[in-house]
Amino acid sequence: MTAPHDRREVGPPAGGPTATHCPYCALQCAQTLTPRASGPLPVEVTARDFPTNRGGMCQKGWSAAEVLAAPDRLTTPLVRRDGVLGPATWEEALDLVHARLAAVQAEHGHDAVAVFGGGGLTNEKAYTLGKFARVVLRTPYIDYNGRFCMSSAAAAANRTLGVDRGLAFPLADLGGAGAVLLVGSNPAETMPPLVQHLAGARSRGGLLVVDPRRSATAGLTADGAGLHLAPVPGTDLVVLLALLHVLVDEGLTDTAYLAERASGWDEVRASVSRWWPERAEQVCGVPAPALRRTARLLAAAAPAHGGPGAYVLTGRGMEQSTQGTDTVSAAIALAVALGLPGRPGSGYGPLTGQGNGQGGREHGLKSDQLPGYRLVADPDARRHVAAVWGVDPADLPGPGVPAVELLRRLGTEGGPRALLVHGANLAVSAPHVGAVRAALGRLDLLVVSDVVPSETARLADVVLPVAQWAEEEGTMTTLEGRVVRRRRAVPPPGDARDELWVLRELARRFGHDLGDDPRAVFDELARASTGGKADYSGMSYDRLDAGEALYWPCPADRPEGTPRLFADGFATPDGRARLVAVDHRGPSDDVTPERPVHLVTGRVLHHYQSGAQTRRVAELVDAAPEPLAELSPLLAADLGVADGDRVRITSRRGALEVRARVTDTVRPDTVFLPFHWADAHSANLLTTDATDPVSGMPEFKVCAVSLARAALPAVPVPHEVPA
């Protein structure tokens, strides 16, 4: 039997069912799409066996074909005339975009145009969009919604481990672990097929979940399967520092590993001396005995103590914070102190959310990065990539700014006057979204490429209809760093076009030649990545289509790729992890007597990201038709709120009204609100755009709010359909 990470994935015969992957999260669950000759949907979706999903899918994946046939699917370009979006030909739309971009740059300079990408774009589209911004537009202003997803984990991994690849091991490795610590992640709802990989840890009583809510994942710790720690929102770092303190105090660290493979440990050890469990309990609210038990369970599972293996996994709940980079740095220090990274059956990793959040930042969508995970400011990187692109390195713009700062500058003096958006829904997904909508309104030109009229597209001057997952060729990079093939099963409807074609046609109008053949673009991407951290130079469509499992780095001289990182050292100059001593500062918008409740945001099982796709799928809308504010019976009683009542939630930035779900799964000092809905129900009307000083990550996950009962009668609350 082949090892899980070597399982072959071979494309189907031409004209038959098409082997591809789900359009949603970074598990990239394997699917087969079979074209239908008749009926409301163009394809039938079935699951395929693949190491991440093992033949299963969540409800979003099973219903993915519904988005292909959405009643309001964009099938023709739209141009705003007299304030109204109306149909146009491609020639009219692209000529208009070119003319207005050129005019803006002629008057205000290259920096007057900005580009915003999405973590769902294929590697080929992400690469081409980055090249288009830097070569055709010559603007430094490019970033993407992965800044809202993985930037703190990336910043922490780069500064401590020397490389950022999400998981440094195949997901299937989790199955043998004695303990898995999940901090700020709820995969039972965000990526349900992952839960099967936690079965081994649960059977050994080692599933350890840190979450202010008793989420679906936290619920898996019941009946002796593990522990759920419910800290005060915004105090995950305190929990991690306390766990490190216990390891040091009780002599549970892997001293030989630390001496051989880490630097900075003395500083970390000294810094955590201040966070004994009883002191930590006063800040984070987790009982000191639970902190000690968690640390001991992790240590017992670690190889240094004869255990079967342990993992530390992080998620957005701890990363989307103004101290997100420091919190992830502490999680990495915890893993290194136990001797986990690079050991068989153990490790650290963040759970990447978006389908290609990994590949997007590797190949050019991030403001400071060039293909191959090279830095824009590095002269050698500039020379290498410029040579592949056939341009003078001096003509490449320097680093831009992270997404939140980019959005703040839109339409301001000296800031971008035009914005191109590809694969993002900023009018819903950005923090402090009221200010973002105002910024979009200040622009001279907003161009949105999308598959449906998202809330951002409705604000645009030009809307370009593009192909989606079942209608395009390309590659995606999973949360494991494995590159997989996305294959076209059906053509796009009407006049919708692939984004590679759109970018080629726009570039041609500017006098540049960009290819739009995905295979050729991937080959160029591989050359541009050569020698970089994310080296794809040994990969090709032929190898992927032959079914090879290829994980980066996969250089031409090591074409077997790297399923597991760090076995022989870290990607730092001396091969040692560079541990960083950090300390807790707390949220930027903490509770006060006027706003005494913590708001935390997150996902629900049936919806994804801004909801632009899933809110168009009837069965998902039926299961979760509206956002519900989850609050505890104690808080509800204090407010005079009953289950189903409408509550008004107010922060320093805005207010909204939603119905209440009274539940004992949330702390009495906390209200939970999902972020998939738009307009007056957008959770991001409330969230702060304060950012982590290292990563630029906004603090989505916690802010201070007040609550009050709204003056409407109670109505029944719909409950979610079981997974």
Side-chain angles (χ1 to χ4, degrees):
M1 180 178 293
T2 58
H5 71 272
D6 289 326
R7 193 175 300 161
R8 298 177 69 79
E9 181 191 13
V10 183
T18 300
T20 189
H21 293 264
C22 180
Y24 293 111
C25 80
L27 283 183
Q28 287 297 285
C29 296
Q31 297 178 329
T32 297
L33 305 182
T34 304
R36 287 177 162 173
S38 60
L41 301 179
V43 296
E44 178 184 1
V45 178
T46 54
R48 287 190 297 121
D49 189 32
F50 190 65
T52 56
N53 64 303
R54 293 176 174 167
M57 284 192 297
C58 71
Q59 193 174 2
K60 295 184 290 289
W62 284 111
S63 61
E66 296 279 349
V67 186
L68 297 171
D72 58 350
R73 177 71 192 272
L74 294 170
T75 59
T76 188
L78 304 174
V79 170
R80 191 173 298 278
R81 303 180 180 94
D82 299 323
V84 178
L85 284 171
T89 67
W90 273 106
E91 198 76 11
E92 291 170 332
L94 294 176
D95 284 350
L96 174 63
V97 172
H98 167 251
R100 294 185 65 178
L101 290 178
V104 165
Q105 289 191 317
E107 182 175 355
H108 301 285
H110 291 294
D111 296 5
V113 177
V115 175
F116 202 94
L121 300 178
T122 63
N123 286 316
E124 293 77 4
K125 291 194 289 189
Y127 171 83
T128 302
L129 190 57
K131 181 179 178 181
F132 177 84
R134 295 181 172 102
V135 173
V136 178
L137 298 176
R138 294 181 62 184
T139 179
Y141 283 129
I142 177 171
D143 211 57
Y144 83 130
N145 60 15
R147 181 72 65 176
F148 303 156
C149 179
M150 290 296 297
S151 55
S152 290
N158 280 323
R159 79 179 184 182
T160 56
L161 307 176
V163 67
D164 154 43
R165 198 190 79 172
L167 301 187
F169 47 84
L171 186 64
D173 286 4
L174 292 177
V180 175
L181 175 67
L182 278 164
V183 189
S185 181
N186 181 19
E189 292 189 270
T190 61
M191 43 181 66
L194 184 146
V195 169
Q196 62 194 309
H197 299 286
L198 303 175
R202 293 181 66 206
S203 70
R204 302 176 184 102
L207 180 60
L208 312 169
V209 178
V210 181
D211 195 316
R213 300 167 63 223
R214 192 169 73 246
S215 65
T217 304
L220 297 174
T221 65
D223 301 321
L227 291 174
H228 170 216
L229 311 184
V232 173
T235 65
D236 305 278
L237 178 52
V238 173
V239 172
L240 293 166
L241 295 174
L243 296 180
L244 275 162
H245 177 98
V246 174
L247 296 182
V248 172
D249 187 55
E250 300 187 5
L252 299 175
T253 62
D254 188 339
T255 55
Y257 182 100
L258 285 164
E260 178 185 352
R261 302 198 58 179
S263 60
W265 171 244
D266 289 344
E267 292 79 6
V268 170
R269 182 177 55 196
S271 71
V272 302
S273 66
R274 300 187 293 270
W275 287 104
W276 60 93
E278 286 75 15
R279 182 198 174 205
E281 179 180 350
Q282 298 305 307
V283 178
C284 71
V286 177
L291 292 168
R292 287 193 170 89
R293 186 179 173 200
T294 300
R296 292 165 185 165
L297 284 169
L298 270 176
H305 298 284
Y311 290 89
V312 176
L313 305 180
T314 64
R316 306 304 83 73
M318 58 169 273
E319 296 163 12
Q320 289 177 330
S321 161
T322 51
Q323 57 183 23
T325 302
D326 285 352
T327 307
V328 179
S329 297
I332 292 172
L334 179 66
V336 171
L338 289 167
L340 306 182
R343 283 259 178 85
S346 294
Y348 154 78
L351 296 176
T352 305
Q354 296 184 85
N356 201 34
Q358 184 76 54
R361 66 182 180 274
E362 290 166 6
H363 298 302
L365 289 184
K366 211 170 178 183
S367 62
D368 59 347
Q369 289 180 192
L370 290 170
Y373 218 127
R374 288 182 161 91
L375 294 178
V376 172
D378 179 356
D380 290 337
R382 294 169 66 85
R383 280 191 292 271
H384 173 81
V385 174
V388 174
W389 288 349
V391 299
D392 187 330
D395 289 340
L396 294 178
V401 296
V404 172
E405 180 60 27
L406 172 57
L407 296 175
R408 287 185 186 134
R409 295 186 186 185
L410 294 179
T412 63
E413 185 67 29
R417 308 295 311 177
L419 178 67
L420 307 181
V421 179
H422 293 257
N425 190 9
L426 294 167
V428 178
S429 63
H432 192 359
V433 78
V436 171
R437 294 174 187 170
L440 295 174
R442 293 193 300 262
L443 292 168
D444 296 338
L445 177 68
L446 175 60
V447 182
V448 175
S449 295
D450 213 329
V451 300
V452 293
S454 68
E455 286 73 18
T456 308
R458 292 172 192 163
L459 301 175
D461 300 292
V462 180
V463 179
L464 303 177
V466 293
Q468 56 176 307
W469 109 104
E471 303 157 354
E472 64 184 6
E473 293 284 330
T475 59
M476 307 286 279
T477 303
T478 73
L479 79 170
E480 311 165 302
R482 176 175 176 169
V483 178
V484 297
R485 281 278 280 119
R486 174 173 282 186
R487 298 181 177 92
R488 175 172 165 162
V490 290
D495 285 332
R497 297 286 184 269
D498 190 277
E499 262 159 304
L500 291 178
W501 179 89
V502 174
L503 293 170
R504 185 199 74 180
E505 288 299 302
L506 275 176
R508 181 176 62 80
R509 286 164 168 79
F510 281 95
H512 292 267
D513 182 17
L514 294 184
D516 66 343
D517 175 68
R519 180 183 291 262
V521 171
F522 186 84
D523 290 344
E524 183 180 302
L525 176 160
R527 293 195 303 275
S529 75
T530 303
K533 290 181 180 180
D535 191 332
Y536 283 32
S537 61
M539 299 187 193
S540 67
Y541 272 34
D542 287 342
R543 295 190 69 193
L544 294 170
D545 286 341
E548 295 189 60
L550 300 178
Y551 299 74
W552 71 262
C554 184
D557 60 354
R558 283 192 292 111
E560 68 278 8
T562 316
R564 297 173 183 85
L565 297 175
F566 311 138
D568 301 317
F570 297 100
T572 57
D574 62 1
R576 298 164 68 89
R578 299 172 294 197
L579 302 183
V580 180
V582 297
D583 205 3
H584 174 67
R585 301 186 302 276
S588 65
D589 184 17
D590 211 346
V591 293
T592 65
E594 294 77 26
R595 297 176 184 84
V597 178
H598 298 283
L599 171 72
V600 296
T601 65
R603 300 187 197 176
V604 296
L605 174 65
H606 301 94
H607 290 289
Y608 182 74
Q609 302 295 73
S610 75
Q613 295 160 288
T614 53
R615 284 187 281 112
R616 287 171 166 81
V617 178
E619 65 183 86
L620 301 179
V621 172
D622 288 345
E626 62 180 310
L628 299 173
E630 295 182 4
L631 56 158
S632 75
L634 284 174
L635 181 57
D638 186 53
L639 297 170
V641 169
D643 198 53
D645 281 350
R646 294 188 68 81
V647 291
R648 183 170 180 84
I649 309 175
T650 305
S651 76
R652 289 178 175 84
R653 290 150 297 278
L656 55 75
E657 290 187 8
V658 294
R659 285 197 291 155
R661 170 178 286 165
V662 180
T663 171
D664 63 0
T665 61
V666 65
R667 292 174 54 97
D669 59 1
T670 300
V671 59
F672 169 80
L673 189 64
F675 56 63
H676 310 291
W677 282 268
D679 302 323
H681 284 164
S682 175
N684 284 323
L685 290 168
L686 307 174
T687 56
T688 175
D689 59 0
T691 58
D692 181 292
V694 179
S695 68
M697 169 77 84
E699 193 159 49
F700 281 112
K701 276 299 180 280
V702 60
C703 67
V705 297
S706 61
L707 283 86
R709 185 179 185 275
L712 285 175
V715 291
V717 177
H719 290 280
E720 293 176 354
V721 177

